[in-house]
């Protein structure tokens, strides 16, 4: 069985819960995406920008001192933090911008929460010389003013959204409204493995380069497959990017780390897989943070990139089928994880990625014999310096 099925379902999750007006747009996008995947010219061009512009392939680095510290874990780091713009998000925006060009679109729109996806989109749009409009909750434009400045420097227009909670989910609604109105020339770039079919599939395919490279690199280094894979989960794109190439390798265990914020027994966290209920958000069915009467619960995490009330449907499917395990790490633990990697390896991770390093010692304590693990080092910490200074 291949996932998703032709209607975009991952088991009971995913799909396309959309008004009539949006169905045709998603159908057209799906058609273009499928033809692009079969076109060697498209693949060649995508690979060209991944390699020459973004800096792929990224290294799979053996973290020797971290491994010594953890004793039972031999850790390899997949260095997505070394990509242009400092995180994995550029893999996806380069892929989608090439789809936009293929469709003859001249205008790019996107939603952004923390601003990381907005910056990666504005970067790709500048590279291709396309007009770019980024929707961002007004609340977020204030919290992430430096990223607003970056997007503007890159030539994008940033539109503050004043509806609802003035955060990511409202920005996403506004972007969809723009798309419907200006569909002739506009392409909508979604930033994670979320949204209606075919977006979760598109983003997974464009991020799957992470796992394909890592699998090849690990086999070359160790002449076997790893015991574990681990990645942080916001919407779930860096995790799915790493996991996907290992889906059929049944011996390889997968762990996704959600943000437990102030604690899983509070309402201030971003852990829909641990504490959510199944529901529909942005056209797709998955685990979601909801209030008792079914409204979307505002998410919280110290890491802005993990601060999303939903999660990609394929992760809900992996969880339900048992293919992957999901754990959650609190804000204050994440800071410890950040220090652990910084002090043992001289690499300061993004606050999102720091959640993974907070979980590694817990996993290490459970193991009797040494096991190998690949960590998706999704991004670098430079963007978080101001915030970390306040927290430490
Ligand atoms: C955005 C972001 C994430 C979370 O997004 P996913 O779609 O879950 O990968 C994780 N790490 C970094 C560095 C990010 O910028």
């Amino acid at each position: 069985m291949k996932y998703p099925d032709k209607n975009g379902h991952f088991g009971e999750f995913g799909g396309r819960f959309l008004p009539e007006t949006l169905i045709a747009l998603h159908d057209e996008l799906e058609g273009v995406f499928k033809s692009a995947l079969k076109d060697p010219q498209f693949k060649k061009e995508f690979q060209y920008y991944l390699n020459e512009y973004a800096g792929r392939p990224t290294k799979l680095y053996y973290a020797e001192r971290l491994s010594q510290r953890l004793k039972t874990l031999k850790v390899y780091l997949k260095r997505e933090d070394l990509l242009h713009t400092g995180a994995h998000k550029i893999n996806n925006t380069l892929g989608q911008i090439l789809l936009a060009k293929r469709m003859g679109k001249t205008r790019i729109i996107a939603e952004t929460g923390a601003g990381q996806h907005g910056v990666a989109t504005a970067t790709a749009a500048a590279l291709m010389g396309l007009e770019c409009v980024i929707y961002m909750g007004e609340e977020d434009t204030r919290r992430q003013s430096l990223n607003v400045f970056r997007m503007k420097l890159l030539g994008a227009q940033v539109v503050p959204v004043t509806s609802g909670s003035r955060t990511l989910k409202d920005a996403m609604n506004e972007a969809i409204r723009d798309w419907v109105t200006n569909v002739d020339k506009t392409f909508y770039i979604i930033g994670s493995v979320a949204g209606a079919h075919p977006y979760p599939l598109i983003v997974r395919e464009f991020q799957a380069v992470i796992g394909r490279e890592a699998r090849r690199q690990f086999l070359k280094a160790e002449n076997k497959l790893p015991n574990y894979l681990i990645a942080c989960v916001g919407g779930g794109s860096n995790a799915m990017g790493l996991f996907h190439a290992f889906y059929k390798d049944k011996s390889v265990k997968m762990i996704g780390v959600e943000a437990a914020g102030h604690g899983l027994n509070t309402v201030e966290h971003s852990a829909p897989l641990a504490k959510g209920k199944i529901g529909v958000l942005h056209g797709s069915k998955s685990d979601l943070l909801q209030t008792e009467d079914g409204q979307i619960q505002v998410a919280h995490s110290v890491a802005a990139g993990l601060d999303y009330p939903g999660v990609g449907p394929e992760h809900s499917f992996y969880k339900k089928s048992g293919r992957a395990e999901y754990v959650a790490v609190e804000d204050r633990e994440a800071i410890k994880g950040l220090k652990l990697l910084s002090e043992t390896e001289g690499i300061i991770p993004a606050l999102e990625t720091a959640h993974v390093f907070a979980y590694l010692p817990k996993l290490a304590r459970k193991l009797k014999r040494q096991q190998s693990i690949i960590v998706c080092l999704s991004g670098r910490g430079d963007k978080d310096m101001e915030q970390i200074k306040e927290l430490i």
Side-chain angles (χ1 to χ4, degrees), residues 86-89 116-117 191-193 232-239 305-306 350 352-353 378-380 383:
H88 67 291
K89 287 192 173 73
Q116 296 303 110
H117 174 56
S192 192
V193 284
C232 63
V233 176
S237 70
N238 85 90
L306 301 184
E352 291 82 2
T353 327
S378 58
R380 62 175 188 233
K383 70 181 175 61

Side-chain angles (χ1 to χ4, degrees), residues 24 30 69 85 102 137 165 169 179 191-192 205 207 209-210 232 246 268 306 316 346-347 362 383:
E30 186 183 354
R69 177 78 70 92
T85 66
R102 195 179 173 87
S165 58
K169 70 177 172 57
W179 193 22
S192 192
E205 289 303 310
Q207 291 292 1
V209 63
I210 301 172
C232 63
F246 296 87
E268 293 178 311
L306 301 184
S316 289
I347 299 170
K362 296 187 195 191
K383 70 181 175 61

Side-chain angles (χ1 to χ4, degrees), residues 100-343:
K101 286 212 325 181
R102 195 179 173 87
M103 295 173 88
K105 308 289 187 188
T106 55
R107 181 172 175 269
I108 299 299
I109 59 169
E111 84 295 335
T112 196
Q116 296 303 110
H117 174 56
V119 170
T121 300
T123 300
L127 174 68
M128 300 295 169
L130 302 181
E131 185 189 343
C132 183
V133 179
I134 306 289
Y135 289 93
M136 192 167 181
E138 193 191 35
E139 189 59 33
D140 290 331
T141 60
R142 236 175 292 127
R143 287 194 292 195
Q144 306 288 338
S145 59
L146 208 53
N147 273 338
V148 174
F149 183 66
R150 281 198 185 97
M151 289 183 261
K152 288 182 176 165
L153 272 183
L154 291 161
Q157 182 197 345
V158 180
V159 180
V161 174
T162 55
S163 55
S165 58
R166 306 177 181 207
T167 60
L168 177 61
K169 70 177 172 57
D170 313 292
M172 214 155 166
N173 293 339
E174 212 54 49
I176 289 172
R177 218 164 287 152
D178 177 318
W179 193 22
V180 179
T181 316
N182 302 298
V183 61
D184 284 353
K185 56 174 189 168
T186 302
F187 188 98
Y188 177 23
I189 299 190
I190 289 188
S192 192
V193 284
H197 179 62
Y199 278 106
L201 172 64
I202 290 177
V203 179
R204 180 189 83 192
E205 289 303 310
F206 290 154
Q207 291 292 1
V209 63
I210 301 172
R212 279 199 302 272
E213 284 177 8
R215 194 174 183 283
R216 192 170 62 232
Q217 290 165 321
F218 192 91
L219 280 171
K220 187 155 180 248
E222 294 274 337
N223 215 7
K224 60 179 180 184
L225 288 169
N227 300 110
Y228 288 93
L229 309 174
I230 192 166
C232 63
V233 176
S237 70
N238 85 90
M240 197 49 69
L242 176 64
F243 294 174
H244 185 62
F246 296 87
Y247 182 73
K248 291 192 186 135
D249 301 318
K250 294 293 177 217
S251 67
V252 180
K253 299 183 193 72
M254 303 170 175
I255 303 173
V257 185
E258 293 189 294
H262 293 150
L264 288 183
N265 46 16
T266 71
V267 290
E268 293 178 311
H269 60 75
S270 301
L273 290 163
K275 299 291 276 188
K277 284 188 293 226
I278 296 174
V280 171
L281 179 64
H282 300 128
S284 172
K285 190 191 271 189
S286 74
D287 290 283
L288 281 183
L289 297 182
Q290 300 174 52
T291 58
E292 264 166 31
D293 56 357
Q295 297 298 312
I296 300 302
Q297 173 113 38
V298 178
H300 164 81
S301 169
V302 68
L306 301 184
D307 200 341
Y308 180 59
V311 66
E314 198 164 6
H315 284 291
S316 289
F317 172 66
Y318 273 34
K319 183 194 158 201
K320 178 131 196 221
S321 67
R323 184 64 190 90
E325 177 196 357
Y326 295 88
V327 298
V329 158
E330 293 181 12
D331 287 352
R332 57 185 175 79
E333 300 175 288
I335 305 296
K336 285 194 200 153
L338 184 131
K339 282 187 166 171
L340 175 63
L341 184 70
S342 303
E343 291 171 8

